[in-house]
Amino acid sequence: MRLRVLIPLLSVLLLPSGTATADPTPPVRDFGNGADRNEEAAGVAESTATTARELAPESTPELTWRPDHDRGYPRRTTLPIPPDNPADASIKLGLIPHHAIAAKLNQLQAVGDRVSAEVVGRSAGGRDMYLVTVTAPESAAETRRQERMRRQIESGDRIQTRKYKAPVFVNGNIHGNEWEGTDANLRVIEELATSTSPQIKDLLAHTRLYFNITANPDGRVLGQRPNGNGFDLNRDFVTASQPETRAMRQIMIDNQPVVMIDLHGYVNGTLVEPTTPPHGANYEYDLFIRNAYANALGIEQAILALGYTPEKDGTFPPQIPFRDSVEGWDDWPPIFTPQYAPFHGAVASHTIEFPMRVNGGDYNNQPVAELQRRSRINVDIASAAIRATYTFVQNNREKLVGDQIEMFRRGAAGEPSKQVPLGIVPGFGPEDVYNTTYPRAYAIPATGPAAGRLVDHLIANDVRVDKAVLPFRANGRTYPAGTYVVDMRQPKRGMANVMLEAGADISQRVDAMYDISGWSHALLWGASADPVTDRRFHAAAVPVKAASPTGSVPHGNGPLALKLDDAKAVRALNDLLGQGVAVTLAADGTAIVPASARAAARTVADRYGAPFTRAGQTSGTPLSSVRIAAAVSADELFTLRELGFAVTPVSTAVLNAGFDWSGADVLFVSSGLSYGALNPAAKAALDSFLAKGGVVTRGGTGANFNAAAGLLTATAVAGRGDANGVVTVSSTTGPVGAGSPAHAFVYSPRWFTALGPEVKVEQSYTAEGPLVSGHWRANPDGTGGPEAARGQAAVVSGRDERGAAVVLFGTEPMFRNHPKGLFPQVARALFWTASSAKVLTP
């Protein structure tokens, strides 16, 4: 059994009085926008979501970067220099502001023939992202040869590893207010560009070093953890909702690093992965742990060699969670950069958390001189981690490349998940062993927009997807021609499986997790992905580069129906409503479009991939564009706007300052709004709105609002606060539940009891389970576990005594923009509450 590290605490106790120090930070979890996200609303003064949209309007296209394999190195690109911004939060710390990075890179490119810089993406706020490649000069022919070898490696083919330049990827500043990785990147690039050392010359002759200078320019400038849309980018990798994440994904796919490090702060002493259990079951972990642990030990020694001490500097010795901690810093979910990178070939990847805190309260309260002292130490430590990593690759290049080949070969051969031998590295025990069972294939019926979205997402993640040209048999059924097939005999089968499998309930194996524990694109994205277990499976199929179009309008002249069962249908409907089309909402939740709007329907069907059908009825409640006053988290604000809703962010402070309710049809409450904290004028104005408007709530903040405002008669019961994962649910034929998937996502789950006669259950947790995958334990007193939620109401609706239409969610239907198959349920709640309220309004 590993022992939890005690050095930081003991070091604090032994420090002489008056010693300069930063507070030690043990490796406890920062859940980002997880359980605590209920407490702060997005889009108000402290948020930058609106700023991001002003900087990057919808008309600004996203930069799509791909490497040019027909050009050699160096590539002398003159980067455009943005205007000076004296408000850049980096300046106070003595670090480089974003507006100065391009000029610095232009200067480094001019130093010699080793440095090439490119703009590889733009942030949500429209700021450039810079990828720097440092290597010895290459002719165009040599670059093409290197690319051929890279593709051979990806196919699992053997190559002459001595001729291959091993790729190394260093990711800096993914959390905007963890600044120093950017400056360390620039320091090391300059060292490599100017060094006359034979060792550096040899390194660059056999290696390509890729530096993502700052992964989060918005957060760097604004001094905040998330990007300009309010997203923690280090939680977004298997969703890829943000442009910065998509840029990083492409860097890893196209350059296939053997080793990568992600530079963060702040944990004192410096935290260097690998991690505690549970370990991701879809990795080739035997290859990974040997390399990751060896590199971690080298990084540790490089940091110790700097000579920083607790007594002199307030800097504690490095800690390696795998060696020094029991649990709580795991690599289970593929949402983080170092946990995503192995699926694209990294046989060692690390989060590095340098030690000296300069963000949060320290940024505002510490003297500038002390902040800059801490930042200098962090840059030194991050630079040492980079140097140790490239030295590790230099000394082990052929082995690392060989392990990458072996990883891809196992996937292409369809070999079973390999159980890692105990003791493969010191301390590797039974608690570290996690495996999965790979199916022979997945069959994805091409039944609509959700299937197309899932297929396109798989392809964007470099998963090979085929399309059947003939019907085939699998799972005891016949699948028609046109069915998508993900053959699991492919090099990146781990990437495919980590998204498509249901996952596992790991509640009993560990007590503490770093972040989410359950996810599944197959269960949460609205499409079916059926695992095929027959090893003799065969389907006549051809590779596809993109899913087939899904938008359609039937021939004829009559009215049309649009089933609101997918986000693309919701977006199409909101577009039609924005054009003033007279759409009605049928009792079953289907939108009815008049025959006169067929031309508009054809346009939105093509634009969004929405399938229209012939309408079987024409009666229903008239719809109009829904205007939402939203006290919601950043991910919910982003999702609601992505669905095409008009959203005005609100909070307790906004309402207390005076808010014009005439521009709102529905109030959505999940974060940052307390009914009891409203002043009398704000409360009166809100009560007046509640007499004619609709309300949708989610989570603890929403449940509290419902109780305080006296809306529906329902008692909200809270599950364990860190519980999360995929759950099974059953839905009714109500206006919100009808057409909902059989699975939902929960984080800090809620359920509703003691329901009044005005309350209708729209969705319940199933009596069996309900947890499919994730981590959900009961509280120490036995309450709050999944057993207590069985059969209980998860989503309810009704009208309060004033006539307001209300929907309460105990699930997480928009969590981090991920469970896309649940978005239509939210839309139906908004349309129903808005239309019901308007029907009742004189």
Side-chain angles (χ1 to χ4, degrees), residues 618-837:
T618 57
S619 61
T621 304
L623 285 180
S624 58
S625 295
V626 177
R627 303 166 299 172
I628 306 169
V632 295
S633 56
D635 51 346
E636 292 170 319
L637 178 64
F638 179 87
T639 300
L640 291 170
R641 285 176 165 159
E642 188 180 56
L643 291 170
F645 289 104
V647 188
T648 302
V650 297
S651 66
T652 303
V654 168
L655 298 192
N656 280 337
F659 181 72
D660 181 6
W661 286 100
S662 65
D665 303 306
V666 178
L667 171 64
F668 199 126
V669 180
S670 68
S671 305
L673 178 56
S674 169
Y675 185 85
L678 296 175
N679 61 40
K683 191 172 293 185
L686 174 56
D687 287 341
S688 178
F689 167 80
L690 294 176
K692 58 184 179 180
V695 179
V696 177
T697 78
R698 177 204 54 84
T701 299
N704 292 338
F705 179 86
N706 174 73
L711 300 176
L712 298 185
T713 306
T715 299
V717 181
R720 179 166 143 163
D722 64 348
N724 68 89
V726 181
V727 295
T728 52
V729 291
S730 59
S731 301
T732 69
T733 57
V736 179
S740 296
H743 297 87
F745 185 81
V746 294
Y747 200 122
S748 300
R750 297 290 193 284
W751 54 93
F752 304 100
T753 63
L755 304 179
E758 81 281 14
V759 180
K760 176 180 177 62
V761 177
E762 297 280 349
Q763 190 173 80
S764 300
Y765 298 107
T766 57
E768 295 183 0
L771 187 66
V772 175
S773 60
H775 188 272
W776 184 354
R777 284 186 170 187
N779 294 310
D781 63 1
T783 63
E787 299 83 4
R790 289 172 180 165
Q792 300 294 334
V795 182
V796 299
S797 67
R799 290 188 176 89
D800 74 352
E801 61 184 14
R802 289 164 291 198
V806 181
V807 175
L808 311 179
F809 281 93
T811 58
E812 280 273 3
M814 295 186 287
F815 185 79
R816 297 179 184 167
N817 195 239
H818 180 72
K820 299 183 186 297
L822 310 184
F823 295 174
Q825 189 180 33
V826 176
R828 290 194 297 271
L830 292 165
F831 284 123
W832 178 75
T833 53
S835 60
S836 295

Side-chain angles (χ1 to χ4, degrees), residues 327 430-434 505-511 777:
E327 60 181 35
E431 70 276 12
D432 292 297
V433 177
Y434 285 81
D505 177 357
I506 57 171
S507 305
Q508 302 313 310
R509 294 202 63 175
V510 293
D511 182 65
R777 284 186 170 187

Side-chain angles (χ1 to χ4, degrees), residues 568-585:
K568 293 183 178 181
V570 175
R571 188 69 184 89
L573 173 58
N574 276 325
D575 195 324
L576 292 174
L577 293 173
Q579 297 178 48
V581 175
V583 182
T584 56
L585 187 67

